[in-house]
Amino acid sequence: MTVMPRTGEEWTVDDLDRIPEDGLQYELLDGLLLVTPAPVRAHQRAVGNLHLLLRAACRPVFEVLLAPFDWRPDRRTSLQPDLLVVRDDPGTKNVTKPLALAVEVLSPSTRRKDHILKRSKYEEAGVESYWLVDPREPAVLALDLVDGKYVTAAEVAGTGTAHLRRPFAVDIVPSALVAPPA
């Protein structure tokens, strides 16, 4: 991940919309431009398997979306969680309401950003649940927002099972998320 400062002023979502498509992921966090390279196979396998799991468990009032899809809670922030769950948001271009769930699959270039920067922004903006999936371990850390602060809902590794209830009931086995197709 690279942080791109801007001389004299902060980046806005309008600036972000003018960046040409080049295969990199561009996000804004409180006016700072974050640039991340394309993900690797293990990352994409975990995202794909988790997407299938969430879609199967999803209740009708929710929608599960895959990155790249922007969540823009303000003019200085545009983040693209690997997976996001929204509730009753008719927006077509991006989501502005607090998310029911943001999921980040960790990679060497995003680990710090996901654990510290994004976690802080999601918590501050009222994102109800935040999951961090580590395909290297494999492991899942699930956080739920309680009284404005994230608390651990589940933390499991390997063949353990996370029995999660927010935003809807789903059981996750970390090792199954990174397993290659049969």
Side-chain angles (χ1 to χ4, degrees):
M1 174 194 69
T2 302
V3 176
M4 301 294 290
R6 188 163 193 194
T7 307
E9 60 186 89
E10 295 178 332
W11 291 86
T12 69
V13 294
D14 296 328
D15 299 318
L16 192 65
D17 289 340
R18 288 191 286 272
I19 295 174
E21 294 290 327
D22 62 3
L24 296 174
Q25 179 187 51
Y26 293 92
E27 297 177 291
L28 280 180
L29 183 61
D30 295 331
L32 289 175
L33 182 64
L34 309 174
V35 184
T36 307
V40 298
R41 182 184 302 250
H43 177 279
Q44 291 303 88
R45 184 180 294 138
V47 169
N49 287 336
L50 190 52
H51 180 252
L52 293 173
L53 190 65
L54 289 174
R55 286 285 309 259
C58 188
R59 295 192 344 244
V61 296
F62 295 103
E63 184 176 8
V64 181
L65 300 168
L66 285 159
F69 196 85
D70 292 309
W71 172 65
R72 293 184 172 180
D74 58 60
R75 302 237 348 111
R76 298 171 50 239
T77 302
S78 180
L79 298 176
Q80 295 179 1
D82 291 308
L83 291 161
L84 52 151
V85 175
V86 297
R87 176 189 293 110
D88 301 324
D89 190 314
T92 55
K93 184 171 167 109
N94 54 59
V95 174
T96 58
K97 294 180 180 181
L99 303 173
L101 170 65
V103 179
E104 297 291 357
V105 175
L106 304 176
S107 64
S109 65
T110 67
R111 183 173 297 278
R112 199 163 170 204
K113 172 179 73 169
D114 294 340
H115 268 291
I116 298 168
L117 299 175
K118 284 189 169 185
R119 176 180 172 159
S120 174
K121 187 63 180 188
Y122 291 148
E123 185 177 66
E124 171 190 305
V127 172
E128 298 170 32
S129 295
Y130 180 39
W131 300 352
L132 293 142
V133 177
D134 188 342
R136 274 192 329 188
E137 293 290 327
V140 173
L141 170 62
L143 305 166
D144 286 340
L145 196 63
V146 176
D147 297 326
K149 295 288 181 197
Y150 280 135
V151 297
T152 301
E155 188 169 11
V156 298
T159 58
T161 302
H163 303 285
L164 302 168
R165 299 297 167 248
R166 285 175 61 185
F168 40 77
V170 64
D171 293 336
I172 298 173
V173 177
S175 61
L177 295 178
V178 297

